[in-house]
Amino acid sequence: MLASLAWLGEYVDLSGLGPAEVANRLTMAGFEVEALKDRYSYLQTVVAAKVTKIKDLGGALRLLLLSAGDRGTFQVLCGDPLVGLGLEYPLALVGTELPFGPVKERVISGISSQGMLVSEYELGLSSDASRVMPLTGVEPGTPLSGFLGKSDLVLEISVTPNRGDALSIMGIARELSAILDRPLKEPSFALTESEESAFGQISVAIEDPVHCPRYTGRVINGASPGPSPDYVVERLLSAGLRPINNIVDVTNYVMLEIGIPLHSFDLAKLAGPKIIVKVFPAGEIFTTLDGQARTLKAERNIMICDELRAVGLGGIMGGQNSEVDETTTDVFLEAASFNQATIRRSSRSLGLSTDASYRFERGLDPNLCHVAVDRAAAMIAELTGGRVAKGRLDCYPKTIGPKKVSFSGRKCNDLLGTRHAMADMERVLGAIGVGLAPNGPGLYEASLPTWRPDLTREVDLFEEVSRLLDFENLPTTLPKPPRAASEPPAPYRLREKLRSILCGAGLSEVMTFSFINRNFIDLLGLPGDHPWRSGLVPVLNPLSEEHGVLRPSLLPGLLAALRLNQYHGQRDAAIFEVGTVFLAAPDGGKPLEGQRLAAVMAGDLGSGQWNDPRRQVDFWDAKGLAEFVAEGLGVDLAFSGGPGQTPPWADPAQSGLISLKGRPIGHLGLLSGPAADRLGLKEAAGRVYALEMDIDDFPADKVTAFRQWSNYPGVIRDLAVVLDRTVPASEVLGALKADGSLPLVEAAIFDLYEGDKVPAGKKSLAMRLFFQEMSRTLTDEEVNGYFNGIVASLKTLFSAELRS
C-alpha cells in the first residue's frame, strides 16, 4: 500500500510530526512502513538540455544534439516536431527510473539514443503527453529536482491480509487519528442530481446474494471524457497508478481514497436497460479490458451481465465490450460488494490480480458502497460536465449490520497487565469506529464497525487497545511458575520412554516429513487391495510431488533416510522414528491418526575388534529389538509367521506378524530384493531389516513389580516335545507361564530341531524349566509331578508328545 503523506494530511493533521515519526508510529501500531521515499527522486537525473543541432532522418524522426552543461553532450532521437533549435528541454538520462519505467539506451537504424526528451506526463507532472515539456531560463545541466521544487513523500506500508479496510487513504488516516489523538476529516462533496431519472435508464438485480451481497450504481449523463486535472493525476501517480481519462481516473481515485473499487460502463454499449449479477461456471470465455480472451477456470465466477452477455468479471476487471472511451457520453457507475473467497479463487485460477481483486480478496465493507458511488458520481460530474441522474440504484437483499460483543475495561487491563483509563480506551476504540454503550457496572456493549471484519471477540478489542495506546510500552512481566509441576500426558511419556529404550539399544533417532510421495505404494510393492492405496490423505497444496500425501506409514521416510546415508558412504545404519501416521476416514471425515514406532537396520553390527567381530544384521536382531522394547515397556508381544502374516514389502521366509494380547499391531522382516531395488538401496550395503508397530495400546507408566527372591534352591529340568511345526513356540511358552498353579519361575527355548529324526510336518522344541518355591525346598517327587503335569497339558493343548 502506497500512501502519500500529503494526501494523508488532508484527512488527519500531521503538523509537528516528521515523516520518520509518522512511519514509526504506524509501524508500532501494526502497519510496518517498509520504505519512505520521495516520489520525485528521479528528477535528480532529469536535467535541462539545450538543442544545439537538429538532423532530419526522414519521416517524423530527428536526431538532436543536446548540451547538458557540465554533464556533457548527448545525441537523442526525437519525434516531436515542436522541438526547436536553441531551446531547452528536460533530458532523462539513461538509467533514470521514470514513473512508468526506466530510460534505456536505444538504437534505431544504427543510431544510438543516449537518453530521452520527456513530456509532463512522462515526468508524472500532469496528464499532458502531447509534446515534450518546454523549459525557459534554465541553465543546461541543472537537475529538474531543484528547478521544479517538487517533493511528495510516500509511505510504502505492509498491510496484513485481514485488514482490507486499511488499503485506502481513509483507512490509514483513521489509524493515525486514533494513534495521534487528532480528529479525522471525512471527504466532503456535494452531489447534485438532475431531473432525469436513473431508474428509467437502467435497473440492477443480483441472482446469488451469497457471492454478491450488495450492488449499487449511479448514472451520469452528458459526460465529456478528457484529461484529469493535475491534483487527480498527482494522487494516482503517488499510488503507482497510470492516469487514463477523467472518468476512469475518478474510479481509481475514490478506490484509493475510500477503499471501495468502482467500475464505469459506457451505458450506450450495454445491451438492454438491466444489469444482472450472475455466477458463471468454469469454461466460459470472456474478453477483459486488456484485450485478453480469458477462459474461466474456477468453479464459480462472479460476472456482471447485461440482458444478453457478460460485460464485467466481477471484482477483478471490466469487459472490453463496455469500456469507457473518448466517445462515451452516458456512464453507468458501479460500486459493489463481492464474496472475498469467490474473488480469490477466480483471480488465482486466471492468474489475474488487479487493484480491485487485491482489495476484495481481503474483505470490504458493503455499507460503504453507496458512499463510494456517490463520491465518484459527484467527481465525474464536476470533472466532465456531466449530470448525475436522479436516484441511486441499490440492490441490498440482506443488510449487514454491526456485530455486538461485551467489553470490560478491567478485564482488558488484567489481560494486558496495564492500567489504562477507561476514557482512553473509549477514545481509541471510538476513533476506529467501535461504539461503547454502558451495559452494567464496569461493562459495555461494543458495536463493531462493519469495515472491520477482523474484530469478532472481546479479546480483539483488547488487542486494539494495546495496539493504539502505545503498544511498545506494554509492561514486561515474568509468568508465575505453576505451584506444582504438571506431568506430561501419557502419549508424550510413552514416546519419551521408547526413545530412551531404543537409544539405549544403540539406535539413532531420525525425524522425517509427514508428507511423502504417493509412489511409495509401488516402490514397496503393495497389492491393489491394500488399505493404504484407498486410504491415502492428499495434501491440497503440496510444495512438490515429493510431499503430495500424508504418510500412512513411517517406513517410507526411514528407508529414504537409509538410502541417503548409503549414498553418502554410510553403509551401516540402525535408525528409528516414533511419529504419527494418517489414513483417510471411511466416512470422509477428519483423517484417522495413530502413533507408530518403526526401525530399520542394515549393514553390519560389531566394532570389528578382536573381542567384538563384525557380523551382518539378521532377522533375530530385528526380532530381538522388538522384544527389547516389549521388555522395557513391560508388555508381552507375540510373533507369528506363515501365510497371511507377511507384509507385502518383506521376504516371506524372514518376516512375521507382531501381536499384542491377540491383536495384530505390526510386522517385522527382511526387505525383499525387488523392493530394495525399486527404493534404490545398494545391494553391496547388505540386507535391510525393518519393523513397524502401533504403539497406541502400549502402557506409558507400567512399573515392573519387585519380586522377592527365594532363599531356597531351585530345580532345573529340560523338556523336549514333538509337535506340529505350525505351532508358534511363543504360544507354548505362554501356556506354561499362564498356569499359576506351578512354581515355575522361568521357561526358555534352547533348541529347535526339524529333520529326519522327527516325523514330517513336525518339529522338536527343547525347553529349560526352572522350578522354585519361596518357603521351602522342592522334593524330586514334587518336581516330577509338575513335570508330568506340564507334559500332559502340552499334549492336551498342542497334541505334543514327549521326545524320547
Side-chain angles (χ1 to χ4, degrees), residues 3-260:
S4 164
L5 274 175
W7 200 359
L8 284 170
E10 294 181 9
Y11 302 111
V12 62
D13 181 14
L14 299 179
S15 61
L17 296 172
E21 185 175 355
V22 173
N24 181 65
R25 298 295 291 272
L26 280 172
T27 297
M28 295 313 301
F31 293 93
E32 181 185 1
V33 177
E34 298 179 335
L36 173 62
K37 54 189 177 183
D38 188 344
R39 181 168 68 84
Y40 290 107
S41 60
Y42 57 86
L43 291 179
Q44 296 174 5
T45 52
V46 180
V47 298
K50 186 175 184 177
V51 181
T52 60
K53 187 177 180 180
I54 300 177
K55 179 181 179 180
D56 290 325
L57 299 177
L61 192 62
R62 298 190 293 172
L63 178 64
L64 309 179
L65 190 64
L66 301 168
S67 172
D70 58 2
R71 299 277 186 138
T73 301
F74 302 87
Q75 65 175 24
V76 173
L77 294 169
C78 180
D80 186 352
L82 298 178
V83 172
L85 189 64
L87 301 178
E88 292 89 20
Y89 301 94
L91 169 66
L93 302 175
V94 172
T96 300
E97 289 286 343
L98 293 175
F100 306 123
V103 176
K104 300 179 181 178
E105 186 171 354
R106 296 177 299 162
V107 178
I108 301 177
S109 300
I111 301 174
S112 173
S113 183
Q114 301 168 324
M116 183 174 73
L117 295 185
V118 288
S119 66
E120 292 185 10
Y121 175 77
E122 289 161 328
L123 286 172
L125 302 177
S126 76
S127 58
D128 184 7
S130 62
R131 60 164 298 177
V132 172
M133 177 184 175
L135 299 175
T136 304
V138 185
E139 186 70 23
T142 302
L144 260 65
S145 56
F147 171 69
L148 296 176
K150 285 282 189 179
S151 178
D152 185 12
L153 292 174
V154 175
L155 302 170
E156 186 175 341
I157 304 171
S158 175
V159 179
T160 55
N162 65 334
R163 290 299 305 271
D165 66 293
L167 293 171
S168 65
I169 294 297
M170 281 300 300
I172 298 298
R174 183 182 294 110
E175 293 293 320
L176 286 170
S177 170
I179 296 166
L180 303 174
D181 191 16
R182 298 183 180 184
L184 179 69
K185 305 168 189 174
E186 298 284 348
S188 61
F189 61 93
L191 178 65
T192 304
E193 296 181 328
S194 69
E195 293 301 318
E196 301 165 273
S197 173
F199 303 106
Q201 301 180 63
I202 197 167
S203 62
V204 297
I206 300 172
E207 285 192 352
D208 191 343
V210 171
H211 299 285
C212 178
R214 189 179 189 185
Y215 191 96
T216 64
R218 281 279 188 180
V219 174
I220 299 98
N221 301 114
S224 298
S228 295
D230 290 350
Y231 81 91
V232 173
V233 173
E234 286 272 329
R235 296 308 184 220
L236 296 183
L237 291 173
S238 72
L241 297 184
R242 184 192 297 265
I244 298 172
N245 62 50
N246 49 14
I247 297 175
V248 176
D249 292 351
V250 165
T251 62
N252 287 329
Y253 182 97
V254 174
M255 175 188 71
L256 295 172
E257 180 185 56
I258 297 177
I260 300 295

Side-chain angles (χ1 to χ4, degrees), residues 416-585:
L416 298 177
T418 56
R419 295 182 179 181
H420 293 310
M422 189 61 212
D424 291 332
M425 298 186 199
E426 288 186 82
R427 176 183 62 77
V428 293
L429 291 176
I432 61 171
V434 177
L436 294 180
N439 192 30
L443 297 177
Y444 295 83
E445 182 181 68
S447 178
L448 308 180
T450 50
W451 63 74
R452 288 292 303 274
D454 59 307
L455 301 180
T456 59
R457 305 165 300 166
E458 184 181 22
V459 290
D460 295 332
L461 299 183
F462 297 169
E463 181 184 3
E464 294 300 293
V465 169
S466 67
R467 187 175 66 84
L468 298 171
L469 285 176
D470 217 359
F471 184 70
E472 60 183 321
N473 290 329
L474 277 177
T476 301
T477 56
L478 292 174
K480 294 180 180 179
R483 294 181 179 178
S486 58
E487 190 176 36
Y492 177 85
R493 299 198 303 273
L494 173 62
R495 290 193 297 269
E496 288 303 301
K497 192 168 186 178
L498 285 170
R499 291 185 176 107
S500 176
I501 293 170
L502 290 161
C503 289
L507 278 76
S508 299
E509 183 181 9
V510 300
M511 299 181 72
T512 64
F513 282 115
S514 295
F515 308 133
I516 61 174
N517 194 323
R518 65 172 57 243
N519 70 354
F520 84 92
I521 291 177
D522 299 319
L523 296 179
L524 290 179
L526 304 185
D529 59 350
H530 196 282
W532 288 354
R533 284 188 177 271
S534 58
L536 290 180
V537 181
V539 179
L540 291 179
N541 295 299
L543 296 175
S544 69
E545 189 178 359
E546 289 299 312
H547 306 92
V549 296
L550 291 175
R551 62 186 182 190
S553 165
L554 301 179
L555 286 181
L558 281 177
L559 293 171
L562 174 63
R563 180 181 61 207
L564 182 65
N565 277 270
Q566 289 185 353
Y567 285 175
H568 285 78
Q570 184 62 39
R571 180 177 178 271
D572 305 330
I575 55 179
F576 76 93
E577 182 173 12
V578 181
T580 306
V581 296
F582 309 86
L583 278 176

Side-chain angles (χ1 to χ4, degrees), residues 33 135 185 239 307 378 388 399 564 614 668 701 721 739 792:
V33 177
L135 299 175
K185 305 168 189 174
E307 293 188 292
V388 180
T399 303
L564 182 65
R614 293 177 66 81
L668 80 162
D701 305 307
V721 292
D739 189 349

Side-chain angles (χ1 to χ4, degrees), residues 249 282 323-324 327 335 338 401 425 439 495 635 645-646 661-662 721 800:
D249 292 351
E323 70 175 318
V324 169
T327 66
F338 299 114
M425 298 186 199
N439 192 30
R495 290 193 297 269
V635 297
Q645 313 290 303
T646 301
K661 298 179 180 179
V721 292

